Amino acid sequence: MLQQTTVATVKAYFEKFTGIWPSVEAMAAASQEAVLAQWAGLGYYSRARNLKACADIVVAQYGGQFPQTREALRSLPGIGDYTSAAIAAIAFGQREAVVDGNIERVSLRQLADATPLPAAKEVARNFMEQHTPQDRPGDFVQAMMDLGATICRPKNPVCGLCPVRENCTASKAGTMLDFPVKPQKKTKPTRRGAAFFIEDGRGLVWLMRREGKGLLGGMAALPSTDWSSRADGAVGDTAAPDMVDKTVWQQAGTVRHIFTHFHLALEVWCGEGKPASNEGWWHPLSDLKEAGLPTVFAKAAALALDHDS
């Protein structure tokens, strides 16, 4: 949950999540749809799909016990170089070079290394490889994380309190804020698309499940055109799904949402009737908050409901 998301946002989700599924066995027994519904609003939904897939494998192949080596951990869904090293060091006491954003910053300031990111990650990894002790590597890793989070901060570093200041090349030169060297940000494109809020006239709204892979994969959603980070989707009421009866569409407005790599301008159209396709289900409007809609579709639904009122 903390990958790409702040502690303040994650806290309530984590408490509720672990209350529902307190063990890896409980997670393995859950459906992917249930997991995605509880993840709704956190974004980066591939994390939730990987979490479920990982639990399935740990229970089926490892008897509910996580493997203890970095190599074996790395083979599990959703566990990459950083996470596998962190688990191996912190949970199992393995000497592994762990590099997160905080450790990266501490290492590159210590060296005053001007290699731009992301290539600088390897420089930081080599630094940690050289300095991680054999004894209590997990404590060392967490100390380095805390050092970066509380003292060697991105802005306003507290160098006077730093226990390793005497070895910090950047601090001695007063160039702490120059490191790490970040690449120029690319301008995010704005994509367009349309979503359709379809009611049956009896307090139900039509929802569908998005394809299992890709952006918002496997999530409950309003019917929508095929927009993506690479291309616009169709817009206008002519792009609406086929209906059993003729439907008069009314535009509620446009919602705007920021994804990692692009901005989205999503037209919201409202109508009443029955979709011709059976690939979906009717959901009570009174219980819409529990449908597990990702943020962009929750915003679209809120706009439609406001328009109806």
Side-chain angles (χ1 to χ4, degrees), residues 29-298:
S31 69
Q32 178 172 278
E33 291 75 18
V35 174
L36 286 169
Q38 292 302 324
W39 197 278
L42 275 177
Y44 301 94
Y45 294 98
S46 61
R47 297 179 298 172
R49 297 194 298 271
N50 284 332
L51 181 64
K52 165 61 177 165
C54 180
D56 291 345
I57 292 174
V58 169
V59 169
Q61 298 184 17
Y62 294 95
Q65 299 296 315
F66 277 83
Q68 298 188 12
T69 67
R70 181 177 186 175
E71 293 74 19
L73 288 163
R74 182 70 178 80
S75 70
L76 296 173
I79 297 184
D81 289 337
Y82 160 67
T83 311
S84 59
I87 295 172
I90 297 171
F92 301 120
Q94 304 290 328
R95 184 187 181 278
E96 295 290 353
V98 181
V99 179
D100 71 345
N102 288 315
I103 291 175
E104 186 178 87
R105 185 168 54 257
V106 173
S107 302
L108 296 174
R109 286 177 175 175
Q110 285 281 305
L111 300 170
D113 192 290
T115 304
L117 294 170
K121 293 181 181 292
E122 190 59 31
V123 176
R125 186 174 290 105
N126 290 336
F127 179 89
M128 287 295 288
E129 184 61 47
Q130 294 171 20
H131 291 86
T132 301
Q134 193 69 46
D135 183 44
R136 296 169 62 194
D139 288 345
F140 175 77
V141 165
Q142 292 179 91
M144 287 288 283
M145 290 177 176
D146 286 346
L147 179 63
T150 62
I151 293 178
C152 193
R153 302 178 299 204
K155 299 179 181 179
N156 303 315
V158 193
C159 295
L161 297 179
C162 182
V164 294
R165 182 182 183 185
E166 62 182 27
N167 298 319
C168 183
T169 307
S171 180
K172 291 176 181 178
T175 58
M176 301 82 68
L177 299 184
D178 293 341
F179 305 97
V181 177
K182 297 182 179 179
Q184 285 188 334
K185 289 186 177 180
K186 296 181 180 179
T187 302
K188 292 182 179 180
T190 297
R191 302 302 184 194
R192 300 180 65 205
F196 300 91
F197 191 85
I198 305 169
E199 297 183 69
D200 74 337
R202 298 173 299 168
L204 301 175
V205 61
W206 185 260
L207 300 182
M208 53 164 287
R209 193 163 301 282
R210 292 175 65 85
E211 290 186 13
K213 296 182 179 180
L215 189 65
L216 308 182
M219 297 296 294
L222 300 176
S224 174
T225 57
D226 291 331
W227 47 268
S228 70
S229 61
R230 297 181 178 85
D232 293 333
V235 295
D237 59 346
T238 58
D242 293 333
M243 304 291 288
V244 172
D245 299 313
K246 184 177 180 180
T247 300
V248 177
W249 296 99
Q250 294 185 359
Q251 186 173 4
T254 299
V255 295
R256 301 184 184 278
H257 190 74
I258 300 174
F259 289 95
T260 305
H261 302 298
F262 69 104
H263 298 268
L264 176 65
L266 189 67
E267 295 178 356
V268 180
W269 293 85
C270 302
E272 187 173 304
K274 184 180 187 329
S277 171
N278 290 321
E279 295 182 0
W281 68 94
W282 292 110
H283 190 91
L285 283 169
S286 60
D287 194 36
L288 194 55
K289 289 185 178 180
E290 301 302 318
L293 294 177
T295 302
V296 64
F297 287 110

